[in-house]
Amino acid sequence: MSTNQAPATPVSHAPARRCADIKPFQVMAILAEAQALQAQGQDIIHLEVGEPDFPTPQPMIDAAITAMNAGKTGYTPALGLPQLRQKLADYYFDRFGVRISPKRIVLAPGASGALLLLTAARLNPGQQILLADPGYPCNRHFARVFEGRGQLLPCNAAQKFQLTAADVRQHWSADTKVALVASPANPTGTVLSLDELSALATAVREQQGELWVDEIYQGLNYTSAPQTVLSVADDAVVLNSFSKFFGMTGWRLGWAVVPEAWVPDLDTLAQNLFLAPPTPAQYAALAAFEPETMAILEQRRAELAERRDYLMQALPPLGFAVPVAPDGAFYIYADASRFTSDSLSFCSQVLREIGVAITPGVDFGEHEAGSHVRFAFTTRLERLQEAVARLAAWLNNRADGTR
């Protein structure tokens, strides 16, 4: 070997820069710690993760098993089974009176998969998505993966923690491409009325932008009938999922409703990124809209409403203020400023000392995040009552200076 040969360039083991900009989802760390404590024998009450304690309805499980036994285990088309896309189109007409072509419905591995496709297809490097703060954290991270940016706008209780048409007009910039809202929302459970959605759609059109509406908690409404933005804005994009109302969290199946002109690009991206959504999940979902299944789901919604009502009357006397009642989803976003300005440490302490797992506000943005926590009413009423009793005793001990 020649002694004059230049030394090899050292191999870099550094991760891609985007990894440093994507924060971990703290609720998953809390869940992991809660599960570790549980494995050690501690009784943990799980109010942290957005996953109710109901299993997938049996008719949907049976439909998947029947399909698998019939050998239906191969790939489907990249955008999903045509018959399921048609079922969804029928659902929009039957439940909401909205006519949409099944060609506009894009199935994906979860609503997250659908959002991944949308950000890949619609967002150029440097472009922005307007988002409410507080809001679901992963939405802004999808933008970062594709070299875009999630622009968080502080939203207060007076505006239901939601973006408004005035926010859109005030904060839209040359780099803004999309306004993304959620109704019902995570972590707050607040719902946008059709009038509010219509006003948002008008404001976004004025900016020649795109309105995307996360409706994954649609169906989990407690004070009014479920609605869809498509009733007032046919050009809006809808994100939805079989995870929440339909009880299919682990099956990983969601969908988007998009302008038909976008579908070829989304099809190409889906082929490259996923090949296809999970096949057994799609056959299970075909049974989601049957009367037997819908009756089960409505019974569960009523049980969630009972849990919500209990926490809404039980938490304020403990000192957790709830400035806006959650009209949907299965969360209560509570002001814990009486107890802490460091919600992450507070939630860790609550978990370790009394075995109640709740989620810190820092998971959902920056605006007043240190003084808020989220309670998920995803476990049975008796366990919620036990959690409240533990919190009451623990908070009293803190107030007495014994802790």
Side-chain angles (χ1 to χ4, degrees), residues 53-68:
D53 54 342
F54 308 122
T56 301
Q58 193 62 44
M60 299 166 75
I61 294 173
D62 293 342
I65 292 171
T66 298
M68 289 188 287

Side-chain angles (χ1 to χ4, degrees), residues 373-394:
V373 296
R374 188 191 73 177
F375 295 86
F377 44 94
T378 49
T379 191
R380 65 186 188 275
L381 186 60
E382 294 82 0
R383 295 292 278 169
L384 296 179
Q385 292 168 337
E386 171 64 19
V388 167
R390 292 185 193 181
L391 280 166
W394 185 73

Side-chain angles (χ1 to χ4, degrees), residues 15-23 141-148:
R17 285 189 297 273
R18 67 180 61 87
C19 293
D21 296 334
I22 296 177
K23 297 180 181 178
H141 297 155
F142 278 115
R144 176 63 187 91
V145 166
F146 292 102
E147 306 303 324

Side-chain angles (χ1 to χ4, degrees), residues 8 32-33 45 55 58 118 133 145 156 161 179 206-207 212 234 276 335 338 352:
E33 184 176 1
I45 302 176
Q58 193 62 44
L118 282 167
D133 180 357
V145 166
N156 296 311
F161 302 111
E206 290 171 0
Q207 310 300 326
W212 299 358
D234 185 64
D335 182 343
R338 177 175 172 182
R352 291 168 187 163

Side-chain angles (χ1 to χ4, degrees), residues 183-247:
S183 181
N186 176 11
T188 62
T190 60
V191 174
L192 290 164
S193 69
L194 289 181
D195 286 345
E196 290 165 330
L197 288 166
S198 180
L200 276 165
T202 298
V204 170
R205 281 190 211 105
E206 290 171 0
Q207 310 300 326
Q208 298 183 317
E210 298 171 9
L211 175 63
W212 299 358
V213 182
D214 173 348
E215 296 183 348
I216 72 169
Y217 294 96
Q218 183 187 65
L220 295 174
N221 296 64
Y222 309 114
T223 60
S224 60
Q227 302 285 358
T228 176
V229 66
L230 297 173
S231 296
V232 293
D234 185 64
D235 57 343
V237 171
V238 164
L239 289 155
N240 212 321
S241 174
F242 286 97
S243 289
K244 307 301 183 180
F245 176 65
F246 295 100

Side-chain angles (χ1 to χ4, degrees), residues 287-308:
F289 308 101
E290 298 301 319
E292 179 186 6
T293 308
M294 293 302 291
I296 294 169
L297 297 173
E298 283 299 319
Q299 182 180 16
R300 293 176 176 183
R301 186 195 62 77
E303 185 172 339
L304 286 168
E306 183 181 5
R307 298 175 184 181
R308 165 194 176 271

